[in-house]
Amino acid sequence: MSDIPNFANRKTILVVDDTPDNLTRMSLLLKETYHVKVAKNGEKALDYLNYNDKPDLILLDVMMPGMSGYDVIRELKGNQKTCHIPVIFLTGANAEEDEKQGLDLGAADYITKPISPPIMLARVKTQLENKAASDFLRNQNSYLEAEVARRTREISSIQDVTVMAMASLSETRDQETGNHILRTQHYVKTLAEKLRTHPRFNYFLSERIIDMLFKAAALHDLGKVGIPDRILMKSGKLTQKEFEIMKIHTTLGRDAIKLTQKRLGVEIEFFTHVMDVAYYHHEKWDGSGYPTGISGENIPISARLMAVADVYDALISRRVYKEGMLHEQAMVIMVNNRGRHFDPDILDAFVTLQDEFHSIALGFSDSDDTMAEKANQIDLLLGG
């Protein structure tokens, strides 16, 4: 059987030469095995490439009027659509520096005239085989990159669903509504984005970290699932003993995540942020918070951001047993706690963002129906 490929599977070669006899000679030599296209100068070659399917190989004369072969290959290699097409230079020049220049510009091979048909056909075949292998690897890499991106999106979606399921479970056993979770998430993200260029925080607040903090904020009160209903649902002021029990929710939230990571046998960065937010978001800048009483820079940045978001929302939001404060009233309390409850720089950023915070609060406000549903939920949990 002949080694000539099936017509439909033949490779296409573009021959570029300003001498008609050379074009005829090359066409006759190649047409039995390949589809052959010709261009009589560099400009025609580039026009062909702009408006037709790309060839598998280009045989390019170096010395041509107008655009030289060197000019053409510069255009080819600078274009994403043509940079992968192998180019074999054809030239009457045989100086070493000419060959080096061509190869430096990206030529795959360099054949001097007069052409030896067996040598040229062998080199054409070699370059086409090289291109086929290169295309296969590039396609495989593209496939693998797409598959990795798909799996990453899938894992991220699973993580998001898991986080929201855990947050929703926490919300069902609390005075808070689901909108509290959404509001605090957006508060944290807004604050973090404002502070990402601040010299105290820019080493930490990358886009990737901010995205994780947005998700982690939803789980700040995860530990409340372990607090007795009689305390968690109490509408009046807690006794000192009840408050001490309530404070345990920070430790319960941290320990739940810590146990999960231990069972998985791997430490996941996202859940480290969740633990910091859950455990430390009631700490205060002056050291008077809980559960550990740490202060200042010892409090994780994520928890300092969460503290501002959580307290502001607690002040302005409705509860089953109370109405929320006006934004202006809440701002007075927040500002008075600068350097006491809150990191001064984070609080200053909050003040500059107060209109955005107010807009978030209004955008995710609790409706009368939501509050009625939450009241019924509490009654059921308390056996009312």
Side-chain angles (χ1 to χ4, degrees):
M1 294 291 292
S2 171
D3 290 334
I4 296 175
N6 182 282
F7 184 84
N9 296 324
R10 288 186 180 190
K11 302 297 183 182
T12 299
I13 297 176
L14 174 63
V15 183
V16 187
D17 199 304
D18 64 307
T19 304
D21 287 347
N22 288 340
L23 290 178
T24 300
R25 189 177 303 113
M26 298 296 291
S27 295
L28 290 172
L29 182 61
L30 297 167
K31 70 177 185 178
E32 292 298 321
T33 309
Y34 308 105
H35 292 300
V36 182
K37 305 295 179 181
V38 298
K40 64 182 180 180
N41 56 49
E43 292 85 354
K44 293 287 186 182
L46 295 178
D47 284 343
Y48 173 86
L49 293 167
N50 283 331
Y51 299 106
N52 296 276
D53 292 337
K54 303 299 180 285
D56 298 286
L57 177 70
I58 298 174
L59 297 174
L60 179 61
D61 188 23
V62 174
M63 305 307 295
M64 296 183 292
M67 294 185 74
S68 71
Y70 297 142
D71 296 328
V72 173
I73 197 171
R74 287 189 186 96
E75 293 286 335
L76 297 177
K77 297 305 176 182
N79 186 331
Q80 186 65 32
K81 295 180 179 179
T82 57
C83 64
H84 297 299
I85 303 173
V87 175
I88 297 178
F89 271 134
L90 305 174
T91 180
N94 57 10
E96 185 176 321
E97 56 269 24
D98 292 329
E99 183 173 350
K100 182 178 184 303
Q101 181 180 0
L103 296 175
D104 287 345
L105 288 171
D109 204 346
Y110 207 101
I111 302 176
T112 56
K113 299 175 182 178
I115 301 299
S116 167
I119 290 176
M120 194 199 71
L121 289 173
R123 291 190 175 182
V124 165
K125 181 180 179 183
T126 296
Q127 293 305 325
L128 288 172
E129 289 173 348
N130 290 345
K131 181 179 185 295
S134 177
D135 288 347
F136 174 78
L137 291 175
R138 189 162 51 252
N139 290 337
Q140 284 294 99
N141 286 339
S142 296
Y143 170 78
L144 290 174
E145 288 172 2
E147 185 65 11
V148 168
R150 185 188 70 80
R151 292 297 302 272
T152 300
R153 289 193 301 271
E154 184 178 274
I155 291 170
S156 180
S157 296
I158 291 171
Q159 183 187 80
D160 291 347
V161 169
T162 302
V163 167
M164 293 315 298
M166 294 169 69
S168 296
L169 177 63
S170 173
E171 175 261 317
T172 60
R173 300 204 58 259
D174 194 0
Q175 299 275 5
E176 310 285 4
T177 68
N179 282 351
H180 166 72
I181 293 171
L182 294 174
R183 288 191 297 267
T184 51
Q185 281 187 293
H186 285 279
Y187 297 151
V188 166
K189 183 178 181 180
T190 300
L191 262 181
E193 288 177 341
K194 175 69 174 178
L195 291 164
R196 67 178 301 179
T197 58
H198 192 287
R200 284 184 58 216
F201 307 106
N202 59 6
Y203 74 93
F204 175 69
L205 293 175
S206 65
E207 182 178 351
R208 183 178 63 86
I209 294 296
I210 291 173
D211 181 63
M212 283 194 280
L213 296 185
F214 176 80
K215 296 175 183 178
L219 299 176
H220 67 281
D221 277 337
L222 172 65
K224 286 186 176 179
V225 297
I227 302 300
D229 291 342
R230 61 182 175 80
I231 297 174
L232 196 62
M233 304 297 179
K234 187 175 180 179
S235 58
K237 184 177 179 179
L238 299 178
T239 66
Q240 185 59 40
K241 183 177 180 181
E242 289 170 336
F243 184 57
E244 291 302 317
I245 295 173
M246 176 66 84
K247 286 198 272 187
I248 298 173
H249 81 274
T250 56
T251 304
L252 293 175
R254 180 204 61 182
D255 289 351
I257 299 300
K258 182 183 291 187
L259 180 60
T260 299
Q261 291 209 109
K262 183 177 180 181
R263 288 176 174 173
L264 286 173
V266 61
E267 189 169 302
I268 300 171
E269 182 183 9
F270 168 68
F271 286 115
T272 298
H273 295 303
V274 174
M275 285 192 291
D276 284 346
V277 168
Y279 191 53
Y280 294 111
H281 71 282
H282 283 293
E283 301 289 359
K284 298 182 180 180
W285 184 254
D286 64 5
S288 63
Y290 67 87
T292 68
I294 58 174
S295 63
E297 299 284 350
N298 292 321
I299 305 170
I301 292 172
S302 55
R304 283 180 257 162
L305 294 168
M306 191 70 234
V308 172
D310 198 34
V311 172
Y312 173 75
D313 199 65
L315 293 173
I316 59 95
S317 297
R318 299 166 64 186
R319 295 289 184 270
V320 173
Y321 58 88
K322 77 172 185 74
E323 292 296 320
M325 284 185 184
L326 294 175
H327 169 77
E328 293 74 15
Q329 293 173 305
M331 288 303 302
V332 172
I333 294 174
M334 297 293 290
V335 171
N336 285 342
N337 278 278
R338 180 185 186 274
R340 296 167 60 192
H341 193 145
F342 309 118
D343 180 323
D345 288 333
I346 294 180
L347 198 282
D348 290 345
F350 163 75
V351 171
T352 66
L353 294 167
Q354 62 174 293
D355 290 342
E356 285 90 332
F357 269 63
H358 194 204
S359 294
I360 292 169
L362 294 175
F364 295 102
S365 60
D366 295 311
S367 67
D368 290 341
D369 288 342
T370 298
M371 299 310 296
E373 182 180 347
K374 174 54 81 172
N376 290 334
Q377 186 182 79
I378 291 173
D379 285 344
L380 287 172
L381 287 170
L382 294 176

